[in-house]
Amino acid sequence: EGGAGIAGTTQALCPSAAADGVQSWICLEPDHKQANRISTMIAAGSLPGICDAVNGQLAGFKPEDPFDTILYIDVLEHIEDDSTEVANAASLLCEGGRLVVLSPAHQALFSRLDEVAGHHRRYSLAALVALTPPPLRPVQSRYLDSVGMFASYANRLLLRQGMPTSAQLALWDRIMVPLSRWLDPLFRYRLGKSVLVVWEKRG
């Protein structure tokens, strides 16, 4: 998991991965304070024992010991040279391995919130797929969170907030996300404030 941060994604996904037989989950985090925090969470048992915190970047790994899955969950937009990062990830995947990227969608939605978060860009589906290096092929690509897209447009045009309030986060979590889960299939995943692409490595 590239850019594991405060381990929010790890906490959400790793327990079920462990239950499914995954034997190793590496939380890769370039910030040493965040990496130490993840190590503390692992030692305390708040993260599964299959987790290991590594302070560093993907370039520090060698292709001789490939991964079966590499995740970038709301991370790739923080990396200035995204095409090189994706190519590096492809080189570290085993045959049949998968690269999963979830990122903010639509450059037209770029706002003060993105600037505060340290985003270099937001992606269209076409722009994210265009990063595909030769060893990979896209096997799934879609937009997610259609309701959140309209809320993001409202913030971009009207509110212009740098950070959402706790009330706004609660509204998004309790109402907007469940509504998007219902509406996204109806829109055939063609609308959303986030974009998801899954690649598979084929020789």
Side-chain angles (χ1 to χ4, degrees):
E1 179 190 352
I6 60 173
T9 297
T10 312
Q11 288 179 306
L13 299 182
C14 193
S16 60
D20 288 339
V22 172
Q23 297 179 353
S24 176
W25 182 294
I26 295 178
C27 301
L28 180 63
E29 174 51 48
D31 184 280
H32 73 278
K33 291 182 180 180
Q34 300 286 29
N36 289 341
R37 176 178 175 177
I38 296 173
S39 294
T40 300
M41 294 173 69
I42 296 170
S46 55
L47 290 175
I50 64 170
C51 291
D52 184 23
V54 175
N55 177 212
Q57 299 183 5
L58 199 67
F61 291 91
K62 304 298 181 183
E64 291 78 16
D65 190 18
F67 299 101
D68 57 13
T69 306
I70 296 176
L71 304 173
Y72 290 100
I73 307 301
D74 290 323
V75 168
L76 197 62
E77 64 277 6
H78 293 269
I79 299 173
E80 187 171 3
D81 191 354
D82 54 354
S83 61
T84 297
E85 186 75 15
V86 170
N88 286 341
S91 72
L92 293 171
L93 284 171
C94 63
E95 181 71 12
R98 295 198 168 190
L99 171 63
V100 181
V101 174
L102 179 73
S103 284
H106 307 300
Q107 187 62 22
L109 288 176
F110 198 93
S111 68
R112 176 62 180 157
L113 179 60
D114 292 283
E115 294 176 358
V116 170
H119 296 172
H120 290 283
R121 69 196 74 82
R122 298 176 73 99
Y123 293 94
S124 67
L125 199 56
L128 193 52
V129 170
L131 295 177
T132 304
L136 302 184
R137 63 182 182 93
V139 294
Q140 186 176 118
S141 56
R142 60 180 54 179
Y143 289 109
L144 297 171
D145 195 4
S146 51
V147 177
M149 184 187 73
F150 296 110
S152 294
Y153 268 115
N155 180 58
R156 173 72 175 83
L157 299 174
L158 300 174
L159 299 177
R160 301 181 180 179
Q161 287 179 304
M163 288 294 290
T165 65
S166 57
Q168 288 169 335
L169 288 173
L171 177 66
W172 178 76
D173 189 46
R174 297 172 186 171
I175 297 177
M176 295 168 67
V177 169
L179 193 55
S180 285
R181 286 176 177 165
W182 181 73
L183 288 173
D184 286 356
L186 298 180
F187 289 130
R188 297 187 178 183
Y189 301 100
R190 294 175 179 171
L191 299 174
K193 77 172 182 63
S194 295
V195 58
L196 171 72
V197 175
V198 180
W199 290 271
E200 187 173 72
K201 186 170 185 177
R202 292 298 179 189

